[in-house]
Amino acid sequence: MPELPEVETVRLGLLPALAGRRLVRLEARRPDLRFPLPERFAERLEGRTILSLERRAKYMIATFEGGDALVLHLGMTGRFTIETAVQRSAPGSYIYAAGGDPRHDHVVFHMAGDDSEGGVRVTYNDARRFGFMVLVAEADLDAHPLMAGLGPEPLGAAFDASHLARRAAGKKVNLKSLLMDQRIVAGLGNIYVSEALHRAHLAPERKASTLADKKDLPHERAERLVSAIRATLADAIAAGGSTLRDYRHADGSQGAFQESFFVYDREGEACRQPGCGGTIRRAVHTGRSTFYCPRCQR
DNA sequence: ATGTCAACCTGAGTGC
DNA sequence: TGCACTCAGGTTGACA
């Protein structure tokens, strides 16, 4: 499900419920998600305060007092919902439906509240269980296999046309595959790769090597692509991400960026590029759908 | 090194 | 209603 904009939206929603609060009780209702949950999961974290909740690529990282980092990945269907004590005592004020089928509520974080009675319950629900949680010593985080190979943040300063051209030079893969590779740039997925390529007017089948000139210097196409990726992600974050099928924010609300898709899931519809007049097509690369306009993407 | 495919798991949608 | 089939926002590991 979630690509960078959705993870960022979820993170912002969870921030007030988790950061600065003490984890009173941790309920793991099954032993595993995609991977086994951490050993002695509850025992190790209960009673400790979460100092911060950050994002790297599509991961959220909760840092606990004392130096442990809980790395969270939402997989395809992972989502969090938040309930406060007030909402619990006033049935109907909380939209539980947003959390999905309660059979898939796998992990519950019971957070201390601002008053003696208060408290916040943060529930992780994941029907397909492609998500996971890994506990790492904070000092080892950057070297952890999940983090070590990641490319730069697409919205950060390290991601620019020179970087992209250098990593693309000589590569035979197409642009779709290049951008899906988290080692090149971290956080894009199937939706935003299609959208960014369209915004850059670059065809998904174009060879990655054409982003670089000889001497591996960035071609103008690389500049265009970097700008398009940044703009697409920034717009998506501003819109609260995309809501497809059942993805929701932590507060149960929906994102709006799907209204702004230029190509994703629009096969057969008209290209929205002003003056283009093309028709959106769907192709399959490595088992995943790619949407593009054969007219204005070259 | 590159590229394809299957696997992980469940639910939603479609067509008969 | 039921059944069979396809597809889904991600990642990894096995192959050719």
Side-chain angles (χ1 to χ4, degrees), chain A residues 178-208:
Chain A
L178 183 85
L179 297 183
M180 291 290 285
D181 188 340
Q182 304 298 300
R183 296 169 301 182
I184 306 295
V185 55
L188 299 177
N190 211 37
I191 292 178
Y192 294 105
V193 167
S194 280
E195 291 298 317
L197 285 171
H198 181 269
R199 197 181 291 227
H201 307 310
L202 294 172
E205 321 80 53
R206 171 180 280 280
K207 296 291 171 232

Side-chain angles (χ1 to χ4, degrees), chain A residues 73 81 87 103 115 173 188 196 227 231 283:
Chain A
H73 195 289
T81 53
Q87 287 166 328
R103 284 179 306 158
D115 54 63
V173 294
L188 299 177
S227 299

Side-chain angles (χ1 to χ4, degrees), chain A residues 88-272:
Chain A
R88 282 202 298 279
S89 64
S93 67
Y94 174 70
I95 314 159
Y96 195 80
D101 190 326
R103 284 179 306 158
H104 302 308
D105 287 348
H106 303 309
V107 180
V108 185
F109 299 80
H110 299 265
M111 308 303 297
D114 298 328
D115 54 63
S116 57
E117 187 200 358
V120 177
R121 190 160 67 182
V122 175
T123 302
Y124 180 70
N125 179 290
D126 188 352
R128 292 175 76 179
R129 300 202 301 278
F130 284 0
F132 55 86
M133 300 185 188
V134 173
L135 195 53
V136 184
E138 200 183 350
D140 300 336
L141 188 58
D142 289 344
H144 191 279
L146 290 172
M147 301 286 138
L150 289 176
E153 285 290 316
L155 294 174
F159 179 62
D160 58 18
S162 308
H163 165 83
L164 192 57
R166 211 175 334 110
R167 298 301 305 270
K171 282 221 162 44
K172 291 174 187 166
V173 294
N174 60 40
L175 291 181
K176 171 77 191 309
S177 303
L178 183 85
L179 297 183
M180 291 290 285
D181 188 340
Q182 304 298 300
R183 296 169 301 182
I184 306 295
V185 55
L188 299 177
N190 211 37
I191 292 178
Y192 294 105
V193 167
S194 280
E195 291 298 317
L197 285 171
H198 181 269
R199 197 181 291 227
H201 307 310
L202 294 172
E205 321 80 53
R206 171 180 280 280
K207 296 291 171 232
S209 58
T210 64
L211 294 179
D213 279 332
K214 14 196 169 328
K215 308 297 285 181
D216 299 355
L217 291 173
H219 187 277
E220 171 272 336
R221 284 184 283 261
E223 308 275 1
R224 237 195 300 155
L225 186 49
V226 166
S227 299
I229 289 168
R230 289 173 173 278
T232 300
L233 295 178
D235 287 354
I237 290 171
S242 306
T243 294
L244 263 56
R245 298 167 198 88
D246 51 6
Y247 161 78
R248 297 296 178 91
H249 297 176
D251 67 359
S253 65
Q254 304 189 23
F257 193 72
Q258 67 281 2
E259 308 296 334
S260 305
F261 286 166
F262 276 83
V263 288
Y264 188 80
D265 209 15
R266 296 191 63 242
E267 183 180 16
E269 298 179 34
C271 179
R272 286 182 170 156

Side-chain angles (χ1 to χ4, degrees), chain A residues 35-46:
Chain A
F35 306 127
L37 287 164
E39 303 274 334
R40 303 182 294 115
F41 194 19
E43 193 185 323
R44 283 163 73 182
L45 294 182
E46 280 177 355

